[in-house]
């Protein structure tokens, strides 16, 4: 059951949901002294240690570092798929660290789009159905879902594949479907986890161009990548090592 404070916080969050008239804060989210520790039996593993990051609206941020440095853990916490062990996660001026899973799920569905390395499309659904799926939690009518899916497919240049199944698409086309699904609900934030990791160089560059265009249109993007070349598309990169931020670089675009 939600506490009284959570109910009040829920009302504060709603005023910042897309398509409202509220004036949103400049900072989209920030992490303050955030730590994540995993425990199993007698072993403790610190995945993130005292992280302080501030992401403003409209930024394109790349998170880099070797395997096991905490990149995916960071993305999962920002995406509210995992909770920190300590510290604060502020999202739209609201500290969501410690919220219940149901409350985090509500905020996540209304505000965040995800793009994964493995595409995560449903094999039994068509391209259109996979894209429309992202709107099922938004009380959108069937006709409106269809119209918005059409617009998203046109935007990603995959309208001619609307009735195809994922298995009938190339890797690049599947990732375009995943991007369309991520943006159809007009989220405040897109989290991309190695979005080019399963693509050849040509398709990888196409996906990066798509993300760049989305960012130019105002979407905030946080991307985890191993590729220095793809990190160059971002306006800022953050390097992690052993769960700590070791460098931040603001790039002139």
């Amino acid at each position: 059951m939600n506490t009284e404070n959570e109910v009040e916080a829920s009302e504060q969050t709603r005023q910042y949901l897309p398509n409202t008239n509220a004036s949103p804060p400049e900072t989209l989210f920030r992490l303050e002294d955030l730590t994540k520790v995993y425990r199993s039996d007698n072993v403790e593993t610190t995945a993130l240690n005292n992280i302080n990051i501030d992401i403003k609206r409209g930024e394109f941020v790349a998170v880099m570092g070797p395997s096991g440095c905490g990149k995916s853990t960071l993305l999962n916490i920002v995406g509210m798929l995992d909770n920190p062990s300590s510290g604060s996660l502020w999202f739209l001026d609201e500290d969501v660290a410690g919220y219940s899973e149901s409350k985090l799920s509500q905020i996540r569905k209304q505000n965040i789009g995800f793009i994964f390395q493995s595409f995560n499309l449903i094999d039994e659904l068509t391209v259109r159905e996979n894209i429309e799926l992202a709107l099922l939690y938004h009380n959108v009518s069937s006709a409106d879902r269809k119209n918005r899916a059409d617009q998203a497919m046109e935007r990603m240049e995959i309208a001619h594949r609307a009735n195809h199944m994922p298995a009938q698409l190339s890797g690049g086309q599947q990732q375009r479907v995943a991007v369309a699904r991520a943006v159809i609900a007009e989220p405040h934030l897109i989290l991309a986890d190695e979005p080019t990791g399963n693509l050849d160089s040509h398709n990888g560059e196409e996906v990066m161009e798509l993300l760049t265009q989305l960012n130019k249109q105002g979407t905030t993007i946080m991307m985890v990548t191993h590729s220095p070349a793809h990190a160059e598309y971002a306006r800022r990169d953050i390097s992690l090592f052993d769960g700590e931020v070791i460098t931040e670089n603001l790039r002139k675009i």
Side-chain angles (χ1 to χ4, degrees), residues 30-247:
R30 69 180 183 273
L31 287 64
E32 294 182 347
D33 302 326
L34 189 141
T35 295
K36 178 64 179 181
V37 178
Y38 292 103
R39 295 180 175 86
S40 59
D41 298 329
N42 297 322
V43 178
E44 286 192 358
T45 301
T46 301
L48 296 173
N49 184 27
N50 196 37
I51 299 292
N52 290 276
I53 296 174
D54 189 299
I55 306 293
K56 292 180 171 54
R57 284 179 170 274
E59 280 201 275
F60 187 168
V61 178
V63 180
M64 303 186 68
S67 297
C69 71
K71 299 188 303 296
S72 293
T73 299
L74 176 63
L75 211 67
N76 286 339
I77 289 177
V78 171
M80 304 178 202
L81 298 170
D82 199 357
N83 288 313
S85 301
S86 62
S88 300
L89 170 61
W90 292 86
F91 186 79
L92 296 170
D93 280 352
E94 184 177 351
D95 187 1
V96 302
Y99 272 13
S100 66
E101 171 51 35
S102 61
K103 180 64 169 64
L104 291 174
S105 177
Q106 174 194 0
I107 299 173
R108 181 172 63 243
K109 290 171 183 175
Q110 294 288 344
N111 293 280
I112 302 175
F114 294 88
I115 302 172
F116 302 97
Q117 175 178 346
S118 56
F119 316 136
N120 284 17
L121 303 179
I122 298 177
D123 293 336
E124 295 77 16
L125 299 181
T126 65
V127 165
R128 179 191 300 282
E129 290 167 339
N130 266 282
I131 294 170
E132 287 187 19
L133 195 63
L135 293 176
L136 293 181
Y137 304 104
H138 293 263
N139 297 319
V140 177
S141 69
S142 176
D144 194 15
R145 288 201 304 271
K146 181 180 182 301
N147 289 335
R148 291 171 69 172
D150 286 343
Q151 293 173 12
M153 288 187 293
E154 288 288 348
R155 191 177 182 185
M156 297 298 118
E157 300 180 353
I158 50 171
H160 62 296
R161 297 290 193 176
N163 296 316
H164 285 70
M165 310 302 283
Q168 296 175 296
L169 307 179
S170 69
Q173 290 170 335
Q174 290 188 58
Q175 195 61 293
R176 283 176 178 269
V177 176
V179 173
R181 182 184 57 192
V183 303
I184 191 173
E186 300 177 355
H188 287 295
L189 172 68
I190 287 180
L191 298 176
D193 191 0
E194 296 284 358
T196 62
N198 283 339
L199 302 177
D200 59 33
S201 59
H202 174 72
N203 284 309
E205 294 300 323
E206 284 193 350
V207 168
M208 292 310 305
E209 292 291 347
L210 286 174
L211 293 179
T212 301
Q213 188 61 34
L214 290 171
N215 178 246
K216 288 179 178 178
Q217 294 168 358
T219 302
T220 307
I221 298 174
M222 185 175 187
M223 175 184 70
V224 162
T225 182
H226 278 100
S227 169
H230 292 164
E232 291 284 337
Y233 284 84
R235 298 181 184 179
R236 177 158 61 113
D237 60 66
I238 297 171
S239 295
L240 297 181
F241 187 77
D242 285 348
E244 298 183 359
V245 175
I246 55 172
T247 61

